[in-house]
Amino acid sequence: MTRTNYASGATWEDKVGYCRAVQVGNTIEVSGTVAEDEGKVVAPGNPYEQTKFILAKIEAVLIRAGATLHDVVRTRMFVTDISQWEEYGRAHGEFFQAIKPATTMVEVSKLINPEYLVEIEVTAIKHER
């Protein structure tokens, strides 16, 4: 099977040795994604806006890979404050209300930058169109 890497150009990709997404066959795995744009944290302190930004960023790499959010079968959300679950969930629902992938939300003690409130990864299975 062919493997295709989709890099984002983030400096961390070369430092850590990963890329934004990897496609093998019709499966696309999207790496943990945070609310950062050009080296700056997006919407510090706002779990809803960070989640929306991340999901839009994930959608963009899926489109580059020839997929859509409708191909997403699983999301995983790592959050730093589970008491804000409704805010993360509200944003997730705006993107996935009609799709309803399997999902997990777990609280973690911290992410790589204390201003990141959520990190999301997804699995998509690209359907024939």
Side-chain angles (χ1 to χ4, degrees):
M1 274 193 221
T2 302
R3 174 190 174 116
T4 305
N5 289 356
Y6 296 92
S8 69
T11 58
W12 290 106
E13 290 178 336
D14 285 336
K15 286 181 183 179
V16 178
Y18 77 97
C19 71
R20 174 65 42 226
V22 176
Q23 179 176 343
V24 177
N26 65 341
T27 301
I28 303 165
E29 293 285 351
V30 180
S31 293
T33 305
V34 294
E36 182 176 302
D37 189 27
E38 297 184 13
K40 295 188 180 178
V41 176
V42 173
N46 189 322
Y48 170 75
E49 291 297 332
Q50 283 197 10
T51 303
K52 279 183 25 176
F53 180 85
I54 292 165
L55 292 173
K57 197 171 173 180
I58 288 171
E59 182 177 30
V61 76
L62 289 173
I63 290 168
R64 278 183 52 210
T68 72
L69 289 177
H70 289 277
D71 295 310
V72 173
V73 296
R74 164 156 297 281
T75 64
R76 293 168 198 86
M77 296 183 283
F78 305 94
V79 304
T80 59
D81 182 0
I82 200 75
S83 73
Q84 297 290 318
W85 71 269
E86 290 178 275
E87 292 300 298
Y88 304 114
R90 179 166 61 106
H92 187 276
E94 288 176 10
F95 283 80
F96 291 111
Q97 187 62 41
I99 301 164
K100 296 195 177 8
T103 195
T104 301
M105 182 189 300
V106 296
E107 183 178 63
V108 296
S109 63
K110 57 186 162 185
L111 296 169
I112 200 164
N113 180 327
E115 290 186 295
Y116 299 151
L117 304 176
V118 55
E119 182 168 338
I120 302 172
E121 58 183 39
V122 307
T123 301
I125 300 175
K126 190 161 62 168
H127 294 93
E128 298 294 325
R129 293 194 176 26

